[in-house]
Amino acid sequence: MRKRVFSGARPTARQHIGNLLGAINNYVKLQQEYDCIYCIVDIHALTTLQETDKIQGYINDLALDWLASGIDPQKSIVFIQSHVPEVTELHTYLSMVTPLSWLLRVPTFKEKAKAHPDNVNYGLVGYPVLMASDIVLYKAEAVPVGEDQLPHLELTREIARRFNALFGETFPEPEAKLTNFPLIPSLNSSGKMSKSEEGSAIDIANTAEETRARIMTAITDPARKLRKDKGHPEVCNIYTLHKYFTPSEVEEIGKECREAGIGCVDCKKLLAKNMNESLAAIREKRLKLAAKPDYIKELLNDGAARARVIARETIKEVKQKMGLL
Ligand code: SF4
């Protein structure tokens, strides 16, 4: 019996190369060893997404990015969260066993409430309960997470444990499948690549020309003002990206940079060429899939139908145990 893995992503923007090198490539690998369920969590997106008329476009983009990158709907269940309404039903049941104090201490809730004091909605407080429902509805045994997401998963485990203690063994406590997500730098700041920061990211769906243009305007070592100045590759985001896209030459690039043997323009051109070559097959597949919207829709409907078979069983069991049947 293969273990079941669950993971989800919010459809709030197109996926960028940081997402690809971190989460998506990991999803693709996990398919070899686990029964994977990958969910486009559109209800979660509503907690912060104000322009809901864009959500269908983002859902389509996320599905295309995943499928083009190698998530295989024959091996994994790929679906849209709201297409399996049992998740909201379970969310209600689990909210009855989750103390409010657990939710108010969640660091991301505190951060979001501070950042948007005028929009601290009930959904934002209950976000971890919905997340727990996503995972335990499918009785997932493992969840791929980065270190920063461990507190969220711990809360899911606590909620599952509490339900089991009150109503009898029902849910496995999902284990963290700790994943070392590489830190892919932003193109225009010292932070990590981000969908919300303008000019920071290169999307999987960008064309080769868009990729090149964005790389050519990216910041480099701020101390290297002239071609003859010696550089410091360790502080340069272009150099960090070479580690992923030009691995066999990265030592040489670092040496050349330090000795001013290579200029930033040539260094960036090399990165753009290698990045475009590495993404070419994914982009070509994405274009082909984008031309078949009915096929994508069918595929997501099929995923939801498969997910729903599991979800209905779990809800039946939960209702029985809670005395509702
Ligand atoms: S030569 Fe390359 S690594 Fe060195 S500062 Fe310029 S872009 Fe960065």
Side-chain angles (χ1 to χ4, degrees), residues 9-16 19 24 40-41 45 48-49 51 54-66 194-197 201-205 286:
R10 291 178 355 128
T12 53
R14 293 194 306 199
Q15 299 288 282
H16 55 63
N19 304 125
I24 303 176
I40 298 173
V41 289
T48 52
L49 190 70
E51 299 156 305
K54 291 190 177 159
I55 199 163
Q56 290 308 318
Y58 288 145
I59 288 171
N60 192 49
D61 275 328
L62 184 52
L64 290 174
D65 287 335
W66 276 0
S194 148
K195 13 185 165 187
S196 52
E197 186 194 345
I202 292 172
D203 294 339
I204 294 172
R286 196 184 189 284

PDB file of all heavy atoms in Angstrom, residues 9-16 19 24 40-41 45 48-49 51 54-66 194-197 201-205 286:
ATOM      1  N   ALA A   9      -2.331  24.404  -3.585  1.00  0.00           N
ATOM      2  CA  ALA A   9      -1.767  25.730  -3.869  1.00  0.00           C
ATOM      3  C   ALA A   9      -2.914  26.678  -4.176  1.00  0.00           C
ATOM      4  O   ALA A   9      -3.914  26.291  -4.796  1.00  0.00           O
ATOM      5  CB  ALA A   9      -0.795  25.665  -5.039  1.00  0.00           C
ATOM      6  N   ARG A  10      -2.753  27.923  -3.727  1.00  0.00           N
ATOM      7  CA  ARG A  10      -3.810  28.928  -3.930  1.00  0.00           C
ATOM      8  C   ARG A  10      -3.709  29.523  -5.329  1.00  0.00           C
ATOM      9  O   ARG A  10      -2.634  29.949  -5.746  1.00  0.00           O
ATOM     10  CB  ARG A  10      -3.661  30.062  -2.904  1.00  0.00           C
ATOM     11  CG  ARG A  10      -3.985  29.600  -1.519  1.00  0.00           C
ATOM     12  CD  ARG A  10      -3.822  30.641  -0.417  1.00  0.00           C
ATOM     13  NE  ARG A  10      -3.280  31.913  -0.786  1.00  0.00           N
ATOM     14  CZ  ARG A  10      -3.852  33.091  -0.504  1.00  0.00           C
ATOM     15  NH1 ARG A  10      -5.002  33.122   0.120  1.00  0.00           N
ATOM     16  NH2 ARG A  10      -3.274  34.221  -0.832  1.00  0.00           N
ATOM     17  N   PRO A  11      -4.827  29.573  -6.042  1.00  0.00           N
ATOM     18  CA  PRO A  11      -4.773  30.163  -7.392  1.00  0.00           C
ATOM     19  C   PRO A  11      -4.887  31.689  -7.314  1.00  0.00           C
ATOM     20  O   PRO A  11      -5.958  32.248  -7.490  1.00  0.00           O
ATOM     21  CB  PRO A  11      -5.998  29.539  -8.080  1.00  0.00           C
ATOM     22  CG  PRO A  11      -6.962  29.295  -6.953  1.00  0.00           C
ATOM     23  CD  PRO A  11      -6.158  29.041  -5.718  1.00  0.00           C
ATOM     24  N   THR A  12      -3.765  32.320  -7.048  1.00  0.00           N
ATOM     25  CA  THR A  12      -3.798  33.785  -6.936  1.00  0.00           C
ATOM     26  C   THR A  12      -2.860  34.450  -7.939  1.00  0.00           C
ATOM     27  O   THR A  12      -2.770  35.676  -7.971  1.00  0.00           O
ATOM     28  CB  THR A  12      -3.412  34.241  -5.514  1.00  0.00           C
ATOM     29  OG1 THR A  12      -2.168  33.628  -5.183  1.00  0.00           O
ATOM     30  CG2 THR A  12      -4.452  33.856  -4.494  1.00  0.00           C
ATOM     31  N   ALA A  13      -2.136  33.664  -8.724  1.00  0.00           N
ATOM     32  CA  ALA A  13      -1.243  34.209  -9.756  1.00  0.00           C
ATOM     33  C   ALA A  13      -0.674  33.031 -10.536  1.00  0.00           C
ATOM     34  O   ALA A  13      -0.836  31.878 -10.121  1.00  0.00           O
ATOM     35  CB  ALA A  13      -0.092  34.995  -9.132  1.00  0.00           C
ATOM     36  N   ARG A  14      -0.002  33.335 -11.664  1.00  0.00           N
ATOM     37  CA  ARG A  14       0.675  32.254 -12.386  1.00  0.00           C
ATOM     38  C   ARG A  14       1.887  31.792 -11.573  1.00  0.00           C
ATOM     39  O   ARG A  14       2.434  32.553 -10.783  1.00  0.00           O
ATOM     40  CB  ARG A  14       1.142  32.761 -13.760  1.00  0.00           C
ATOM     41  CG  ARG A  14      -0.012  33.079 -14.678  1.00  0.00           C
ATOM     42  CD  ARG A  14       0.431  33.241 -16.120  1.00  0.00           C
ATOM     43  NE  ARG A  14       1.497  34.205 -16.296  1.00  0.00           N
ATOM     44  CZ  ARG A  14       1.790  34.772 -17.470  1.00  0.00           C
ATOM     45  NH1 ARG A  14       1.085  34.474 -18.549  1.00  0.00           N
ATOM     46  NH2 ARG A  14       2.796  35.611 -17.577  1.00  0.00           N
ATOM     47  N   GLN A  15       2.295  30.554 -11.777  1.00  0.00           N
ATOM     48  CA  GLN A  15       3.433  30.008 -11.048  1.00  0.00           C
ATOM     49  C   GLN A  15       4.737  30.499 -11.692  1.00  0.00           C
ATOM     50  O   GLN A  15       4.851  30.598 -12.913  1.00  0.00           O
ATOM     51  CB  GLN A  15       3.401  28.480 -11.073  1.00  0.00           C
ATOM     52  CG  GLN A  15       2.158  27.893 -10.433  1.00  0.00           C
ATOM     53  CD  GLN A  15       2.156  28.022  -8.919  1.00  0.00           C
ATOM     54  OE1 GLN A  15       2.811  27.288  -8.231  1.00  0.00           O
ATOM     55  NE2 GLN A  15       1.411  28.980  -8.397  1.00  0.00           N
ATOM     56  N   HIS A  16       5.706  30.793 -10.835  1.00  0.00           N
ATOM     57  CA  HIS A  16       6.990  31.274 -11.355  1.00  0.00           C
ATOM     58  C   HIS A  16       8.078  30.215 -11.163  1.00  0.00           C
ATOM     59  O   HIS A  16       7.810  29.140 -10.610  1.00  0.00           O
ATOM     60  CB  HIS A  16       7.356  32.617 -10.733  1.00  0.00           C
ATOM     61  CG  HIS A  16       7.370  32.627  -9.221  1.00  0.00           C
ATOM     62  ND1 HIS A  16       8.238  31.859  -8.483  1.00  0.00           N
ATOM     63  CD2 HIS A  16       6.605  33.308  -8.325  1.00  0.00           C
ATOM     64  CE1 HIS A  16       8.039  32.080  -7.204  1.00  0.00           C
ATOM     65  NE2 HIS A  16       7.031  32.942  -7.074  1.00  0.00           N
ATOM     66  N   ASN A  19       8.455  28.687  -7.750  1.00  0.00           N
ATOM     67  CA  ASN A  19       7.470  27.624  -7.467  1.00  0.00           C
ATOM     68  C   ASN A  19       7.873  26.326  -8.156  1.00  0.00           C
ATOM     69  O   ASN A  19       7.727  25.234  -7.612  1.00  0.00           O
ATOM     70  CB  ASN A  19       6.073  28.009  -7.957  1.00  0.00           C
ATOM     71  CG  ASN A  19       5.563  29.312  -7.398  1.00  0.00           C
ATOM     72  OD1 ASN A  19       5.194  30.213  -8.139  1.00  0.00           O
ATOM     73  ND2 ASN A  19       5.542  29.446  -6.073  1.00  0.00           N
ATOM     74  N   ILE A  24       6.782  22.498  -7.244  1.00  0.00           N
ATOM     75  CA  ILE A  24       6.233  21.677  -8.346  1.00  0.00           C
ATOM     76  C   ILE A  24       7.150  20.493  -8.691  1.00  0.00           C
ATOM     77  O   ILE A  24       6.679  19.364  -8.850  1.00  0.00           O
ATOM     78  CB  ILE A  24       5.952  22.540  -9.593  1.00  0.00           C
ATOM     79  CG1 ILE A  24       4.989  23.684  -9.252  1.00  0.00           C
ATOM     80  CG2 ILE A  24       5.371  21.692 -10.720  1.00  0.00           C
ATOM     81  CD1 ILE A  24       4.703  24.655 -10.385  1.00  0.00           C
ATOM     82  N   ILE A  40      -6.200  22.507  -6.179  1.00  0.00           N
ATOM     83  CA  ILE A  40      -6.174  23.950  -6.438  1.00  0.00           C
ATOM     84  C   ILE A  40      -7.150  24.569  -5.437  1.00  0.00           C
ATOM     85  O   ILE A  40      -8.366  24.428  -5.570  1.00  0.00           O
ATOM     86  CB  ILE A  40      -6.595  24.238  -7.891  1.00  0.00           C
ATOM     87  CG1 ILE A  40      -5.587  23.590  -8.851  1.00  0.00           C
ATOM     88  CG2 ILE A  40      -6.719  25.737  -8.139  1.00  0.00           C
ATOM     89  CD1 ILE A  40      -5.974  23.664 -10.321  1.00  0.00           C
ATOM     90  N   VAL A  41      -6.598  25.184  -4.385  1.00  0.00           N
ATOM     91  CA  VAL A  41      -7.446  25.554  -3.246  1.00  0.00           C
ATOM     92  C   VAL A  41      -8.073  26.942  -3.474  1.00  0.00           C
ATOM     93  O   VAL A  41      -7.644  27.950  -2.925  1.00  0.00           O
ATOM     94  CB  VAL A  41      -6.680  25.452  -1.896  1.00  0.00           C
ATOM     95  CG1 VAL A  41      -6.449  23.985  -1.552  1.00  0.00           C
ATOM     96  CG2 VAL A  41      -5.342  26.166  -1.918  1.00  0.00           C
ATOM     97  N   ALA A  45      -8.199  30.879  -1.509  1.00  0.00           N
ATOM     98  CA  ALA A  45      -7.807  32.120  -2.198  1.00  0.00           C
ATOM     99  C   ALA A  45      -8.757  33.263  -1.828  1.00  0.00           C
ATOM    100  O   ALA A  45      -8.362  34.432  -1.828  1.00  0.00           O
ATOM    101  CB  ALA A  45      -7.801  31.903  -3.703  1.00  0.00           C
ATOM    102  N   THR A  48      -8.104  36.269   0.908  1.00  0.00           N
ATOM    103  CA  THR A  48      -7.385  37.527   0.642  1.00  0.00           C
ATOM    104  C   THR A  48      -7.656  38.089  -0.751  1.00  0.00           C
ATOM    105  O   THR A  48      -7.426  39.265  -0.988  1.00  0.00           O
ATOM    106  CB  THR A  48      -5.854  37.326   0.787  1.00  0.00           C
ATOM    107  OG1 THR A  48      -5.466  36.220  -0.013  1.00  0.00           O
ATOM    108  CG2 THR A  48      -5.454  37.095   2.226  1.00  0.00           C
ATOM    109  N   LEU A  49      -8.128  37.252  -1.672  1.00  0.00           N
ATOM    110  CA  LEU A  49      -8.320  37.727  -3.050  1.00  0.00           C
ATOM    111  C   LEU A  49      -9.580  38.591  -3.137  1.00  0.00           C
ATOM    112  O   LEU A  49     -10.678  38.131  -2.839  1.00  0.00           O
ATOM    113  CB  LEU A  49      -8.437  36.526  -3.998  1.00  0.00           C
ATOM    114  CG  LEU A  49      -8.414  36.842  -5.487  1.00  0.00           C
ATOM    115  CD1 LEU A  49      -7.039  37.312  -5.937  1.00  0.00           C
ATOM    116  CD2 LEU A  49      -8.805  35.611  -6.296  1.00  0.00           C
ATOM    117  N   GLU A  51     -10.290  40.533  -6.040  1.00  0.00           N
ATOM    118  CA  GLU A  51     -10.811  40.565  -7.417  1.00  0.00           C
ATOM    119  C   GLU A  51     -11.216  39.155  -7.828  1.00  0.00           C
ATOM    120  O   GLU A  51     -10.499  38.466  -8.548  1.00  0.00           O
ATOM    121  CB  GLU A  51      -9.735  41.096  -8.367  1.00  0.00           C
ATOM    122  CG  GLU A  51      -9.293  42.501  -8.026  1.00  0.00           C
ATOM    123  CD  GLU A  51      -7.907  42.791  -8.550  1.00  0.00           C
ATOM    124  OE1 GLU A  51      -6.964  42.033  -8.222  1.00  0.00           O
ATOM    125  OE2 GLU A  51      -7.766  43.762  -9.297  1.00  0.00           O
ATOM    126  N   LYS A  54     -11.181  37.312 -11.305  1.00  0.00           N
ATOM    127  CA  LYS A  54      -9.952  36.780 -11.928  1.00  0.00           C
ATOM    128  C   LYS A  54      -9.703  35.324 -11.546  1.00  0.00           C
ATOM    129  O   LYS A  54      -8.789  34.696 -12.064  1.00  0.00           O
ATOM    130  CB  LYS A  54      -8.749  37.618 -11.479  1.00  0.00           C
ATOM    131  CG  LYS A  54      -8.747  39.018 -12.048  1.00  0.00           C
ATOM    132  CD  LYS A  54      -7.423  39.680 -11.763  1.00  0.00           C
ATOM    133  CE  LYS A  54      -7.403  41.060 -12.402  1.00  0.00           C
ATOM    134  NZ  LYS A  54      -6.418  41.931 -11.781  1.00  0.00           N
ATOM    135  N   ILE A  55     -10.478  34.805 -10.612  1.00  0.00           N
ATOM    136  CA  ILE A  55     -10.092  33.513 -10.020  1.00  0.00           C
ATOM    137  C   ILE A  55     -10.131  32.361 -11.039  1.00  0.00           C
ATOM    138  O   ILE A  55      -9.273  31.485 -11.017  1.00  0.00           O
ATOM    139  CB  ILE A  55     -10.922  33.208  -8.748  1.00  0.00           C
ATOM    140  CG1 ILE A  55     -10.202  32.146  -7.914  1.00  0.00           C
ATOM    141  CG2 ILE A  55     -12.334  32.772  -9.041  1.00  0.00           C
ATOM    142  CD1 ILE A  55     -10.669  32.060  -6.496  1.00  0.00           C
ATOM    143  N   GLN A  56     -11.109  32.375 -11.969  1.00  0.00           N
ATOM    144  CA  GLN A  56     -11.179  31.272 -12.938  1.00  0.00           C
ATOM    145  C   GLN A  56      -9.934  31.256 -13.836  1.00  0.00           C
ATOM    146  O   GLN A  56      -9.416  30.198 -14.190  1.00  0.00           O
ATOM    147  CB  GLN A  56     -12.451  31.367 -13.785  1.00  0.00           C
ATOM    148  CG  GLN A  56     -13.743  31.058 -13.013  1.00  0.00           C
ATOM    149  CD  GLN A  56     -13.695  29.727 -12.266  1.00  0.00           C
ATOM    150  OE1 GLN A  56     -13.206  28.726 -12.780  1.00  0.00           O
ATOM    151  NE2 GLN A  56     -14.194  29.708 -11.055  1.00  0.00           N
ATOM    152  N   GLY A  57      -9.457  32.439 -14.176  1.00  0.00           N
ATOM    153  CA  GLY A  57      -8.235  32.534 -14.970  1.00  0.00           C
ATOM    154  C   GLY A  57      -7.034  31.992 -14.210  1.00  0.00           C
ATOM    155  O   GLY A  57      -6.216  31.244 -14.753  1.00  0.00           O
ATOM    156  N   TYR A  58      -6.961  32.330 -12.920  1.00  0.00           N
ATOM    157  CA  TYR A  58      -5.835  31.841 -12.106  1.00  0.00           C
ATOM    158  C   TYR A  58      -5.907  30.316 -11.925  1.00  0.00           C
ATOM    159  O   TYR A  58      -4.884  29.640 -11.894  1.00  0.00           O
ATOM    160  CB  TYR A  58      -5.846  32.510 -10.725  1.00  0.00           C
ATOM    161  CG  TYR A  58      -5.461  33.968 -10.710  1.00  0.00           C
ATOM    162  CD1 TYR A  58      -6.051  34.864  -9.820  1.00  0.00           C
ATOM    163  CD2 TYR A  58      -4.480  34.472 -11.562  1.00  0.00           C
ATOM    164  CE1 TYR A  58      -5.688  36.206  -9.784  1.00  0.00           C
ATOM    165  CE2 TYR A  58      -4.118  35.809 -11.530  1.00  0.00           C
ATOM    166  CZ  TYR A  58      -4.729  36.670 -10.638  1.00  0.00           C
ATOM    167  OH  TYR A  58      -4.373  37.986 -10.598  1.00  0.00           O
ATOM    168  N   ILE A  59      -7.121  29.791 -11.788  1.00  0.00           N
ATOM    169  CA  ILE A  59      -7.280  28.337 -11.639  1.00  0.00           C
ATOM    170  C   ILE A  59      -6.760  27.644 -12.902  1.00  0.00           C
ATOM    171  O   ILE A  59      -5.994  26.677 -12.844  1.00  0.00           O
ATOM    172  CB  ILE A  59      -8.768  27.970 -11.396  1.00  0.00           C
ATOM    173  CG1 ILE A  59      -9.195  28.390  -9.986  1.00  0.00           C
ATOM    174  CG2 ILE A  59      -9.018  26.477 -11.608  1.00  0.00           C
ATOM    175  CD1 ILE A  59     -10.690  28.280  -9.720  1.00  0.00           C
ATOM    176  N   ASN A  60      -7.159  28.183 -14.043  1.00  0.00           N
ATOM    177  CA  ASN A  60      -6.713  27.600 -15.310  1.00  0.00           C
ATOM    178  C   ASN A  60      -5.187  27.671 -15.437  1.00  0.00           C
ATOM    179  O   ASN A  60      -4.531  26.709 -15.834  1.00  0.00           O
ATOM    180  CB  ASN A  60      -7.390  28.355 -16.468  1.00  0.00           C
ATOM    181  CG  ASN A  60      -7.209  27.650 -17.772  1.00  0.00           C
ATOM    182  OD1 ASN A  60      -7.440  26.444 -17.875  1.00  0.00           O
ATOM    183  ND2 ASN A  60      -6.756  28.374 -18.779  1.00  0.00           N
ATOM    184  N   ASP A  61      -4.628  28.820 -15.052  1.00  0.00           N
ATOM    185  CA  ASP A  61      -3.166  28.983 -15.120  1.00  0.00           C
ATOM    186  C   ASP A  61      -2.446  27.970 -14.240  1.00  0.00           C
ATOM    187  O   ASP A  61      -1.455  27.375 -14.653  1.00  0.00           O
ATOM    188  CB  ASP A  61      -2.770  30.400 -14.654  1.00  0.00           C
ATOM    189  CG  ASP A  61      -2.861  31.407 -15.786  1.00  0.00           C
ATOM    190  OD1 ASP A  61      -2.621  31.023 -16.941  1.00  0.00           O
ATOM    191  OD2 ASP A  61      -3.186  32.576 -15.504  1.00  0.00           O
ATOM    192  N   LEU A  62      -2.961  27.800 -13.028  1.00  0.00           N
ATOM    193  CA  LEU A  62      -2.299  26.874 -12.102  1.00  0.00           C
ATOM    194  C   LEU A  62      -2.370  25.448 -12.639  1.00  0.00           C
ATOM    195  O   LEU A  62      -1.381  24.703 -12.607  1.00  0.00           O
ATOM    196  CB  LEU A  62      -2.949  26.976 -10.712  1.00  0.00           C
ATOM    197  CG  LEU A  62      -2.328  26.154  -9.587  1.00  0.00           C
ATOM    198  CD1 LEU A  62      -0.838  26.380  -9.457  1.00  0.00           C
ATOM    199  CD2 LEU A  62      -3.005  26.475  -8.253  1.00  0.00           C
ATOM    200  N   ALA A  63      -3.521  25.070 -13.168  1.00  0.00           N
ATOM    201  CA  ALA A  63      -3.657  23.721 -13.738  1.00  0.00           C
ATOM    202  C   ALA A  63      -2.675  23.547 -14.897  1.00  0.00           C
ATOM    203  O   ALA A  63      -1.974  22.522 -14.995  1.00  0.00           O
ATOM    204  CB  ALA A  63      -5.090  23.485 -14.215  1.00  0.00           C
ATOM    205  N   LEU A  64      -2.579  24.535 -15.770  1.00  0.00           N
ATOM    206  CA  LEU A  64      -1.661  24.436 -16.911  1.00  0.00           C
ATOM    207  C   LEU A  64      -0.211  24.342 -16.434  1.00  0.00           C
ATOM    208  O   LEU A  64       0.570  23.528 -16.948  1.00  0.00           O
ATOM    209  CB  LEU A  64      -1.822  25.657 -17.827  1.00  0.00           C
ATOM    210  CG  LEU A  64      -3.125  25.749 -18.616  1.00  0.00           C
ATOM    211  CD1 LEU A  64      -3.198  27.078 -19.367  1.00  0.00           C
ATOM    212  CD2 LEU A  64      -3.260  24.600 -19.598  1.00  0.00           C
ATOM    213  N   ASP A  65       0.150  25.174 -15.452  1.00  0.00           N
ATOM    214  CA  ASP A  65       1.535  25.152 -14.947  1.00  0.00           C
ATOM    215  C   ASP A  65       1.878  23.780 -14.366  1.00  0.00           C
ATOM    216  O   ASP A  65       2.946  23.235 -14.606  1.00  0.00           O
ATOM    217  CB  ASP A  65       1.732  26.239 -13.875  1.00  0.00           C
ATOM    218  CG  ASP A  65       1.787  27.640 -14.468  1.00  0.00           C
ATOM    219  OD1 ASP A  65       2.145  27.777 -15.652  1.00  0.00           O
ATOM    220  OD2 ASP A  65       1.454  28.604 -13.753  1.00  0.00           O
ATOM    221  N   TRP A  66       0.963  23.227 -13.582  1.00  0.00           N
ATOM    222  CA  TRP A  66       1.210  21.920 -12.961  1.00  0.00           C
ATOM    223  C   TRP A  66       1.333  20.828 -14.013  1.00  0.00           C
ATOM    224  O   TRP A  66       2.283  20.037 -14.006  1.00  0.00           O
ATOM    225  CB  TRP A  66       0.053  21.569 -12.017  1.00  0.00           C
ATOM    226  CG  TRP A  66       0.154  22.160 -10.643  1.00  0.00           C
ATOM    227  CD1 TRP A  66       1.158  22.958 -10.161  1.00  0.00           C
ATOM    228  CD2 TRP A  66      -0.783  21.989  -9.564  1.00  0.00           C
ATOM    229  NE1 TRP A  66       0.887  23.299  -8.860  1.00  0.00           N
ATOM    230  CE2 TRP A  66      -0.275  22.730  -8.468  1.00  0.00           C
ATOM    231  CE3 TRP A  66      -1.971  21.308  -9.424  1.00  0.00           C
ATOM    232  CZ2 TRP A  66      -0.941  22.783  -7.233  1.00  0.00           C
ATOM    233  CZ3 TRP A  66      -2.636  21.358  -8.198  1.00  0.00           C
ATOM    234  CH2 TRP A  66      -2.130  22.082  -7.109  1.00  0.00           C
ATOM    235  N   SER A 194       8.863  36.455  -5.763  1.00  0.00           N
ATOM    236  CA  SER A 194       7.507  36.526  -5.224  1.00  0.00           C
ATOM    237  C   SER A 194       6.522  36.978  -6.294  1.00  0.00           C
ATOM    238  O   SER A 194       6.831  37.839  -7.123  1.00  0.00           O
ATOM    239  CB  SER A 194       7.513  37.507  -4.051  1.00  0.00           C
ATOM    240  OG  SER A 194       6.286  38.168  -3.942  1.00  0.00           O
ATOM    241  N   LYS A 195       5.295  36.384  -6.231  1.00  0.00           N
ATOM    242  CA  LYS A 195       4.282  36.760  -7.224  1.00  0.00           C
ATOM    243  C   LYS A 195       3.737  38.155  -6.941  1.00  0.00           C
ATOM    244  O   LYS A 195       3.266  38.835  -7.823  1.00  0.00           O
ATOM    245  CB  LYS A 195       3.130  35.763  -7.303  1.00  0.00           C
ATOM    246  CG  LYS A 195       2.997  34.743  -6.214  1.00  0.00           C
ATOM    247  CD  LYS A 195       1.877  33.745  -6.501  1.00  0.00           C
ATOM    248  CE  LYS A 195       1.981  32.528  -5.620  1.00  0.00           C
ATOM    249  NZ  LYS A 195       1.117  31.461  -5.852  1.00  0.00           N
ATOM    250  N   SER A 196       3.802  38.568  -5.675  1.00  0.00           N
ATOM    251  CA  SER A 196       3.163  39.851  -5.351  1.00  0.00           C
ATOM    252  C   SER A 196       4.070  41.054  -5.598  1.00  0.00           C
ATOM    253  O   SER A 196       3.597  42.180  -5.639  1.00  0.00           O
ATOM    254  CB  SER A 196       2.689  39.838  -3.893  1.00  0.00           C
ATOM    255  OG  SER A 196       3.742  39.459  -3.067  1.00  0.00           O
ATOM    256  N   GLU A 197       5.349  40.821  -5.798  1.00  0.00           N
ATOM    257  CA  GLU A 197       6.271  41.952  -5.986  1.00  0.00           C
ATOM    258  C   GLU A 197       6.492  42.173  -7.486  1.00  0.00           C
ATOM    259  O   GLU A 197       6.953  41.271  -8.193  1.00  0.00           O
ATOM    260  CB  GLU A 197       7.590  41.602  -5.284  1.00  0.00           C
ATOM    261  CG  GLU A 197       8.604  42.714  -5.258  1.00  0.00           C
ATOM    262  CD  GLU A 197       9.993  42.164  -4.846  1.00  0.00           C
ATOM    263  OE1 GLU A 197      10.073  41.026  -4.336  1.00  0.00           O
ATOM    264  OE2 GLU A 197      10.961  42.869  -5.078  1.00  0.00           O
ATOM    265  N   ALA A 201       9.600  38.210 -10.512  1.00  0.00           N
ATOM    266  CA  ALA A 201       9.551  36.795 -10.896  1.00  0.00           C
ATOM    267  C   ALA A 201       9.604  36.575 -12.405  1.00  0.00           C
ATOM    268  O   ALA A 201       9.274  37.465 -13.193  1.00  0.00           O
ATOM    269  CB  ALA A 201       8.263  36.183 -10.349  1.00  0.00           C
ATOM    270  N   ILE A 202      10.016  35.376 -12.766  1.00  0.00           N
ATOM    271  CA  ILE A 202       9.855  34.906 -14.147  1.00  0.00           C
ATOM    272  C   ILE A 202       8.840  33.772 -14.086  1.00  0.00           C
ATOM    273  O   ILE A 202       9.049  32.785 -13.370  1.00  0.00           O
ATOM    274  CB  ILE A 202      11.184  34.408 -14.730  1.00  0.00           C
ATOM    275  CG1 ILE A 202      12.126  35.608 -14.905  1.00  0.00           C
ATOM    276  CG2 ILE A 202      10.972  33.689 -16.056  1.00  0.00           C
ATOM    277  CD1 ILE A 202      13.522  35.240 -15.286  1.00  0.00           C
ATOM    278  N   ASP A 203       7.741  33.944 -14.791  1.00  0.00           N
ATOM    279  CA  ASP A 203       6.693  32.923 -14.758  1.00  0.00           C
ATOM    280  C   ASP A 203       7.051  31.759 -15.684  1.00  0.00           C
ATOM    281  O   ASP A 203       7.712  31.959 -16.708  1.00  0.00           O
ATOM    282  CB  ASP A 203       5.356  33.511 -15.232  1.00  0.00           C
ATOM    283  CG  ASP A 203       4.835  34.575 -14.268  1.00  0.00           C
ATOM    284  OD1 ASP A 203       5.261  34.563 -13.095  1.00  0.00           O
ATOM    285  OD2 ASP A 203       4.011  35.393 -14.697  1.00  0.00           O
ATOM    286  N   ILE A 204       6.543  30.586 -15.339  1.00  0.00           N
ATOM    287  CA  ILE A 204       6.717  29.430 -16.232  1.00  0.00           C
ATOM    288  C   ILE A 204       6.156  29.797 -17.604  1.00  0.00           C
ATOM    289  O   ILE A 204       6.738  29.469 -18.629  1.00  0.00           O
ATOM    290  CB  ILE A 204       5.968  28.201 -15.657  1.00  0.00           C
ATOM    291  CG1 ILE A 204       6.617  27.748 -14.348  1.00  0.00           C
ATOM    292  CG2 ILE A 204       5.921  27.059 -16.671  1.00  0.00           C
ATOM    293  CD1 ILE A 204       5.837  26.670 -13.602  1.00  0.00           C
ATOM    294  N   ALA A 205       5.040  30.527 -17.611  1.00  0.00           N
ATOM    295  CA  ALA A 205       4.340  30.821 -18.870  1.00  0.00           C
ATOM    296  C   ALA A 205       4.965  31.964 -19.672  1.00  0.00           C
ATOM    297  O   ALA A 205       4.542  32.212 -20.797  1.00  0.00           O
ATOM    298  CB  ALA A 205       2.882  31.165 -18.563  1.00  0.00           C
ATOM    299  N   ARG A 286       2.831  23.525 -22.265  1.00  0.00           N
ATOM    300  CA  ARG A 286       1.821  24.425 -21.695  1.00  0.00           C
ATOM    301  C   ARG A 286       0.988  25.082 -22.796  1.00  0.00           C
ATOM    302  O   ARG A 286      -0.240  25.195 -22.689  1.00  0.00           O
ATOM    303  CB  ARG A 286       2.502  25.495 -20.834  1.00  0.00           C
ATOM    304  CG  ARG A 286       1.537  26.233 -19.906  1.00  0.00           C
ATOM    305  CD  ARG A 286       2.244  27.345 -19.162  1.00  0.00           C
ATOM    306  NE  ARG A 286       1.411  27.923 -18.122  1.00  0.00           N
ATOM    307  CZ  ARG A 286       0.402  28.752 -18.323  1.00  0.00           C
ATOM    308  NH1 ARG A 286       0.078  29.117 -19.550  1.00  0.00           N
ATOM    309  NH2 ARG A 286      -0.308  29.221 -17.312  1.00  0.00           N
TER     310      ARG A 286
END
